[in-house]
Amino acid sequence: MVKRVMYLMLILLGVVAEAKPSIYVAKEMRPLYDRDLFLYELLDLSLKAAEYPVDIQHVKVHPHQQRTLLALSKGEVDLHWSMSSPAREKLAIAVKFPLFDGLIGKRALLVHRAQLARFEAVKDKAALAKLVAVQGHDWPDTKILAVNGLKVRPIVNYQAMFDLILTQKADYFPRSVIEVDSELAAQSATDLVKLPGVYLSYPAHFYFFVNKQKPQLAEKLALGLSRLKESGEYRQLLARYFDLSFLSTARPIYLDNPFFHTD
């Protein structure tokens, strides 16, 4: 009798284990930075706060953002994160919680150390328009810079953008304040520096994007994120990962973002 009860319990436990849904999260084939680690932890905390247990599986994807969003639209993965744009929100469900509290639109400028004196004269958008930036060819930021009258070279290869600054074939590489310090550390290039005086500022949101076939996952993420914000855990996590003191010592150059909307 005891053996039969134990056997039934094992069967029931197996059924419960099988009932736990799996979600397939896109993982870019590049080194992970603090930005990525923050998002992985936030994803885990959000699902727990929503009391939605899942088995998270990672799927390696191409580092091009648009390709990952297309993979979401085709059902090849269930979840990824990205800066938002109207076009991207048509491909997948955008969970309308700004994951970095708008910091993705605060952009430090990576420049070559030999160019620091030249950049001392850059105080506004007009001065910046005389120089050349590099950005990813499929990044929303590329269009934002261009629509503001700034010269920008769209580049396919991520590392090539740093190399163009190091070889002084381009003038600056705008990087979000939640990305720039990790990237500088990873590059280990003494000639690559963060411009101390100014940064770009434009409205932008970074969202979780969910496969349209998984609306329950999107709903649970929205619920969990809301609970983390109400409890204060979200702000604590943000402060633990990112040093934002740079924003208090540099002045912003404001850009328009006609692609930004909050509805």
Side-chain angles (χ1 to χ4, degrees):
M1 181 65 180
V2 174
K3 289 183 177 180
R4 181 179 297 176
V5 170
M6 291 180 66
Y7 180 68
L8 288 172
M9 287 179 66
L10 288 171
I11 291 176
L12 288 171
L13 286 171
V15 170
V16 171
E18 289 178 5
K20 187 177 179 180
S22 294
I23 63 169
Y24 297 90
V25 179
K27 183 177 182 181
E28 295 179 19
M29 294 181 288
R30 60 166 178 77
L32 297 182
Y33 300 127
D34 286 347
R35 185 198 81 166
D36 307 292
L37 300 177
F38 167 84
L39 290 171
Y40 283 120
E41 186 168 352
L42 182 61
L43 172 63
D44 183 61
L45 291 174
S46 300
L47 294 172
K48 287 178 179 176
E51 300 175 3
Y52 187 60
V54 298
D55 179 27
I56 297 176
Q57 302 287 334
H58 295 288
V59 179
K60 291 184 178 180
V61 296
H62 198 281
H64 292 174
Q65 296 178 6
Q66 195 66 17
R67 291 194 188 182
T68 303
L69 270 294
L70 288 171
L72 271 174
S73 71
K74 295 176 182 177
E76 296 171 5
V77 293
D78 296 324
L79 183 143
H80 194 43
W81 38 77
S82 168
M83 186 167 157
S84 184
S85 73
R88 291 181 176 190
E89 291 185 21
K90 292 178 181 178
L91 295 174
I93 302 172
V95 180
K96 296 294 186 72
F97 182 97
L99 299 176
F100 296 114
D101 199 26
L103 294 170
I104 198 70
K106 310 296 183 186
R107 300 261 158 172
L109 307 184
L110 289 183
V111 303
H112 193 285
R113 185 180 298 277
Q115 299 295 323
L116 283 173
R118 182 185 181 197
F119 272 89
E120 287 180 0
V122 175
K123 304 296 182 184
D124 54 27
K125 188 164 64 173
L128 201 60
K130 299 174 183 179
L131 305 173
V132 178
V134 289
Q135 289 283 267
H137 84 289
D138 63 341
W139 296 356
D141 311 273
T142 303
K143 291 183 178 180
I144 294 170
L145 267 62
V147 81
N148 279 271
L150 302 181
K151 299 173 186 176
V152 54
R153 286 181 60 181
I155 305 297
V156 173
N157 184 278
Y158 171 72
Q159 180 58 43
M161 290 182 266
F162 295 99
D163 294 340
L164 284 170
I165 302 302
L166 285 169
T167 56
Q168 301 185 60
K169 294 178 181 177
D171 298 310
Y172 66 102
F173 183 15
R175 304 303 295 138
S176 169
V177 293
I178 53 93
E179 301 167 321
V180 65
D181 293 330
S182 292
E183 291 177 332
L184 275 174
Q187 291 295 313
S188 298
T190 57
D191 283 333
L192 189 66
V193 296
K194 180 169 62 176
L195 189 67
V198 298
Y199 64 93
L200 302 182
S201 179
Y202 47 84
H205 282 335
F206 203 93
Y207 293 143
F208 283 133
F209 282 84
V210 176
N211 179 349
K212 287 183 177 180
Q213 303 303 314
K214 297 291 180 74
Q216 185 182 34
L217 173 59
E219 291 171 6
K220 293 297 184 181
L221 276 172
L223 174 62
L225 288 164
S226 176
R227 288 177 174 175
L228 290 177
K229 186 174 182 178
E230 290 173 4
S231 70
E233 290 179 78
Y234 166 74
R235 298 299 309 178
Q236 292 170 8
L237 187 68
L238 197 68
R240 176 156 58 85
Y241 270 91
F242 306 114
D243 178 8
L244 304 176
S245 58
F246 169 75
L247 295 176
S248 63
T249 60
R251 62 186 297 272
I253 295 176
Y254 293 105
L255 303 183
D256 297 323
N257 182 0
F259 313 106
F260 178 79
H261 60 89
T262 57
D263 59 343

